[in-house]
Amino acid sequence: MPTYEEAGAAPVFGRGVRQTVLAMGVCSVVIGVATVVWPDKSLGAVGNLFMFSLLCGTVSLATVAFGSTLGRFPRTLLFLAAVVSLVTATLCFRAGNWTLLLAMWLGLAWSVRGIAHAVAGVWDDDEVTGQGKQELFGLVTLAAGLVIAVAPFDSIEVLAAVAGCCMTAFGALEVWTALRSPLAVRSPESDSLTPEQHLTSVIASAGGSGGRASD
Protein backbone atom coordinates (compact mmCIF):
# COMPACT_ATOMS: atom_id res chain seq x y z
CA MET A 1 0.00 0.00 0.00
CA PRO A 2 1.62 3.26 -1.09
CA THR A 3 1.70 5.56 1.92
CA TYR A 4 4.31 8.31 1.82
CA GLU A 5 5.90 9.94 4.84
CA GLU A 6 7.40 13.41 4.54
CA ALA A 7 9.25 15.93 6.67
CA GLY A 8 7.80 16.45 10.09
CA ALA A 9 5.29 13.59 9.80
CA ALA A 10 5.02 10.62 12.11
CA PRO A 11 5.59 7.24 10.43
CA VAL A 12 2.40 5.78 9.00
CA PHE A 13 3.80 2.27 9.21
CA GLY A 14 4.13 0.69 12.64
CA ARG A 15 6.93 -1.65 13.62
CA GLY A 16 7.03 -4.68 11.36
CA VAL A 17 4.56 -3.30 8.80
CA ARG A 18 7.26 -1.92 6.52
CA GLN A 19 9.03 -5.29 6.29
CA THR A 20 5.76 -7.03 5.44
CA VAL A 21 4.89 -4.51 2.71
CA LEU A 22 8.40 -4.90 1.30
CA ALA A 23 8.23 -8.70 1.33
CA MET A 24 4.77 -8.79 -0.26
CA GLY A 25 5.88 -6.29 -2.88
CA VAL A 26 8.85 -8.46 -3.82
CA CYS A 27 6.56 -11.51 -3.99
CA SER A 28 4.11 -9.61 -6.21
CA VAL A 29 6.91 -8.65 -8.59
CA VAL A 30 8.13 -12.26 -8.78
CA ILE A 31 4.61 -13.60 -9.32
CA GLY A 32 3.86 -10.93 -11.92
CA VAL A 33 7.00 -11.75 -13.91
CA ALA A 34 6.27 -15.48 -13.61
CA THR A 35 2.72 -14.89 -14.89
CA VAL A 36 4.06 -13.13 -17.99
CA VAL A 37 6.87 -15.56 -18.84
CA TRP A 38 5.28 -18.85 -17.71
CA PRO A 39 5.70 -21.36 -20.56
CA ASP A 40 2.72 -23.27 -21.98
CA LYS A 41 0.21 -21.29 -19.92
CA SER A 42 -2.84 -23.19 -18.73
CA LEU A 43 -5.89 -21.96 -16.87
CA GLY A 44 -4.90 -23.97 -13.84
CA ALA A 45 -1.36 -22.56 -13.69
CA VAL A 46 -2.46 -18.97 -14.25
CA GLY A 47 -5.27 -19.37 -11.72
CA ASN A 48 -2.76 -20.53 -9.11
CA LEU A 49 -0.50 -17.56 -9.85
CA PHE A 50 -3.47 -15.20 -9.50
CA MET A 51 -4.33 -16.86 -6.22
CA PHE A 52 -0.82 -16.37 -4.83
CA SER A 53 -0.82 -12.75 -5.96
CA LEU A 54 -4.12 -12.08 -4.22
CA LEU A 55 -2.88 -13.82 -1.09
CA CYS A 56 0.10 -11.46 -1.05
CA GLY A 57 -2.33 -8.57 -1.36
CA THR A 58 -4.37 -9.99 1.50
CA VAL A 59 -1.35 -10.10 3.79
CA SER A 60 -0.26 -6.59 2.81
CA LEU A 61 -3.71 -5.06 3.25
CA ALA A 62 -4.38 -6.79 6.56
CA THR A 63 -0.98 -5.82 7.93
CA VAL A 64 -1.47 -2.16 7.06
CA ALA A 65 -5.04 -2.27 8.41
CA PHE A 66 -3.86 -3.50 11.80
CA GLY A 67 -0.41 -1.90 12.01
CA SER A 68 -0.67 1.57 10.49
CA THR A 69 -1.54 4.91 12.06
CA LEU A 70 -4.42 5.54 9.67
CA GLY A 71 -7.81 6.33 11.15
CA ARG A 72 -10.36 3.69 12.07
CA PHE A 73 -12.50 4.05 8.94
CA PRO A 74 -9.63 3.71 6.40
CA ARG A 75 -8.24 0.75 8.33
CA THR A 76 -11.69 -0.86 8.31
CA LEU A 77 -11.90 -0.40 4.54
CA LEU A 78 -8.45 -1.90 4.06
CA PHE A 79 -9.40 -4.87 6.21
CA LEU A 80 -12.57 -5.43 4.17
CA ALA A 81 -10.46 -5.23 1.00
CA ALA A 82 -8.17 -7.88 2.52
CA VAL A 83 -11.19 -10.13 3.13
CA VAL A 84 -12.37 -9.66 -0.47
CA SER A 85 -8.86 -10.43 -1.71
CA LEU A 86 -8.80 -13.63 0.34
CA VAL A 87 -12.20 -14.75 -0.93
CA THR A 88 -11.36 -14.02 -4.56
CA ALA A 89 -8.03 -15.85 -4.16
CA THR A 90 -10.01 -18.95 -3.22
CA LEU A 91 -12.37 -18.40 -6.15
CA CYS A 92 -9.44 -18.05 -8.57
CA PHE A 93 -8.16 -21.40 -7.36
CA ARG A 94 -11.55 -22.94 -8.16
CA ALA A 95 -12.30 -21.04 -11.39
CA GLY A 96 -12.05 -24.19 -13.47
CA ASN A 97 -11.74 -23.71 -17.23
CA TRP A 98 -13.37 -20.26 -17.43
CA THR A 99 -10.94 -17.55 -18.52
CA LEU A 100 -13.52 -14.78 -18.12
CA LEU A 101 -14.47 -16.00 -14.64
CA LEU A 102 -10.82 -15.96 -13.60
CA ALA A 103 -10.46 -12.43 -14.93
CA MET A 104 -13.63 -11.33 -13.14
CA TRP A 105 -12.41 -12.50 -9.72
CA LEU A 106 -9.03 -10.82 -10.15
CA GLY A 107 -10.65 -7.63 -11.41
CA LEU A 108 -13.09 -7.58 -8.50
CA ALA A 109 -10.28 -7.89 -5.94
CA TRP A 110 -8.27 -5.09 -7.55
CA SER A 111 -11.32 -2.83 -7.86
CA VAL A 112 -12.16 -3.16 -4.16
CA ARG A 113 -8.51 -2.65 -3.22
CA GLY A 114 -8.32 0.44 -5.40
CA ILE A 115 -11.39 1.96 -3.77
CA ALA A 116 -9.99 1.26 -0.30
CA HIS A 117 -6.64 2.85 -1.19
CA ALA A 118 -8.25 5.92 -2.72
CA VAL A 119 -10.52 6.50 0.27
CA ALA A 120 -7.67 5.93 2.73
CA GLY A 121 -5.62 8.45 0.78
CA VAL A 122 -8.04 11.32 1.31
CA TRP A 123 -9.75 10.41 4.58
CA ASP A 124 -6.98 11.36 7.03
CA ASP A 125 -5.58 14.28 5.07
CA ASP A 126 -4.73 16.17 8.27
CA GLU A 127 -2.57 13.34 9.59
CA VAL A 128 -1.14 11.47 6.59
CA THR A 129 1.12 13.14 4.06
CA GLY A 130 1.34 12.09 0.42
CA GLN A 131 -2.38 11.28 0.31
CA GLY A 132 -2.63 12.53 -3.27
CA LYS A 133 -0.16 9.90 -4.48
CA GLN A 134 -1.96 7.21 -2.54
CA GLU A 135 -5.30 8.27 -4.00
CA LEU A 136 -3.80 8.19 -7.50
CA PHE A 137 -2.50 4.66 -6.94
CA GLY A 138 -5.94 3.62 -5.70
CA LEU A 139 -7.63 5.04 -8.79
CA VAL A 140 -5.11 3.33 -11.08
CA THR A 141 -5.67 0.02 -9.26
CA LEU A 142 -9.43 0.50 -9.58
CA ALA A 143 -9.11 1.22 -13.30
CA ALA A 144 -6.92 -1.86 -13.82
CA GLY A 145 -9.41 -3.99 -11.93
CA LEU A 146 -12.31 -2.76 -14.05
CA VAL A 147 -10.41 -3.40 -17.27
CA ILE A 148 -9.46 -6.92 -16.20
CA ALA A 149 -13.02 -7.65 -15.03
CA VAL A 150 -14.94 -6.43 -18.11
CA ALA A 151 -12.51 -6.89 -21.02
CA PRO A 152 -13.42 -9.86 -23.25
CA PHE A 153 -10.30 -11.97 -22.73
CA ASP A 154 -10.63 -14.90 -25.11
CA SER A 155 -7.06 -16.08 -24.59
CA ILE A 156 -5.44 -17.04 -21.32
CA GLU A 157 -2.10 -15.83 -22.74
CA VAL A 158 -3.41 -12.29 -23.22
CA LEU A 159 -5.02 -12.25 -19.77
CA ALA A 160 -1.82 -13.51 -18.16
CA ALA A 161 0.30 -10.91 -19.96
CA VAL A 162 -1.91 -7.96 -18.98
CA ALA A 163 -2.48 -9.11 -15.41
CA GLY A 164 1.18 -10.04 -14.93
CA CYS A 165 2.35 -6.60 -16.00
CA CYS A 166 -0.10 -5.00 -13.56
CA MET A 167 1.05 -7.29 -10.72
CA THR A 168 4.67 -6.40 -11.43
CA ALA A 169 3.92 -2.67 -11.43
CA PHE A 170 1.87 -2.82 -8.22
CA GLY A 171 4.53 -4.90 -6.49
CA ALA A 172 7.33 -2.57 -7.59
CA LEU A 173 5.43 0.40 -6.17
CA GLU A 174 5.01 -1.39 -2.84
CA VAL A 175 8.74 -2.15 -2.76
CA TRP A 176 9.56 1.47 -3.54
CA THR A 177 7.17 2.63 -0.84
CA ALA A 178 8.70 0.39 1.81
CA LEU A 179 12.23 1.47 0.89
CA ARG A 180 11.42 5.16 0.58
CA SER A 181 9.44 5.67 3.76
CA PRO A 182 12.37 5.72 6.24
CA LEU A 183 14.20 8.33 4.13
CA ALA A 184 11.14 10.58 4.07
CA VAL A 185 10.77 10.76 7.84
CA ARG A 186 13.11 13.56 8.75
CA SER A 187 14.19 14.98 12.07
CA PRO A 188 16.08 18.22 12.69
CA GLU A 189 19.27 16.22 13.15
CA SER A 190 18.84 14.52 9.77
CA ASP A 191 19.19 17.80 7.87
CA SER A 192 22.95 17.79 8.46
CA LEU A 193 23.52 14.13 7.54
CA THR A 194 25.62 13.21 4.53
CA PRO A 195 24.21 10.77 1.92
CA GLU A 196 26.36 8.01 3.43
CA GLN A 197 24.98 8.74 6.90
CA HIS A 198 21.44 8.78 5.49
CA LEU A 199 22.02 5.33 3.99
CA THR A 200 23.34 4.05 7.32
CA SER A 201 20.26 5.51 9.03
CA VAL A 202 17.93 3.78 6.58
CA ILE A 203 19.59 0.41 7.14
CA ALA A 204 19.48 0.88 10.90
CA SER A 205 15.81 1.87 10.84
CA ALA A 206 14.67 -0.95 8.56
CA GLY A 207 12.68 -2.35 11.45
CA GLY A 208 10.35 0.64 11.27
CA SER A 209 8.88 2.64 14.11
CA GLY A 210 5.83 4.49 15.12
CA GLY A 211 2.85 3.58 17.20
CA ARG A 212 -0.82 3.59 16.29
CA ALA A 213 -2.30 7.02 16.25
CA SER A 214 -5.48 7.67 18.10
CA ASP A 215 -8.60 7.65 15.97
Side-chain angles (χ1 to χ4, degrees), residues 97-121:
N97 295 322
W98 292 42
T99 302
L100 293 179
L101 186 60
L102 191 62
M104 185 181 70
W105 296 137
L106 182 65
L108 174 62
W110 284 358
S111 297
V112 174
R113 180 175 183 174
I115 293 172
H117 279 178
V119 173

Side-chain angles (χ1 to χ4, degrees), residues 167-215:
M167 292 176 194
T168 304
F170 296 160
L173 185 55
E174 286 188 332
V175 170
W176 181 81
T177 299
L179 294 177
R180 179 186 183 275
S181 294
L183 278 175
V185 181
R186 301 178 60 190
S187 63
E189 293 79 6
S190 67
D191 294 333
S192 60
L193 293 180
T194 65
E196 292 78 10
Q197 290 172 322
H198 265 303
L199 179 59
T200 302
S201 175
V202 171
I203 296 174
S205 63
S209 61
R212 186 183 298 264
S214 58
D215 296 320

Side-chain angles (χ1 to χ4, degrees), residues 24-60:
M24 293 302 101
V26 171
C27 289
S28 293
V29 171
V30 172
I31 295 172
V33 172
T35 302
V36 174
V37 303
W38 194 273
D40 300 325
K41 296 180 178 67
S42 65
L43 277 168
V46 174
N48 288 336
L49 290 170
F50 285 4
M51 177 191 68
F52 290 130
S53 174
L54 291 175
L55 289 177
C56 289
T58 300
V59 173
S60 181

Side-chain angles (χ1 to χ4, degrees), residues 4-24:
Y4 302 90
E5 300 159 8
E6 298 175 354
V12 174
F13 290 158
R15 184 174 300 276
V17 177
R18 183 175 288 113
Q19 297 98 315
T20 302
V21 173
L22 175 61
M24 293 302 101

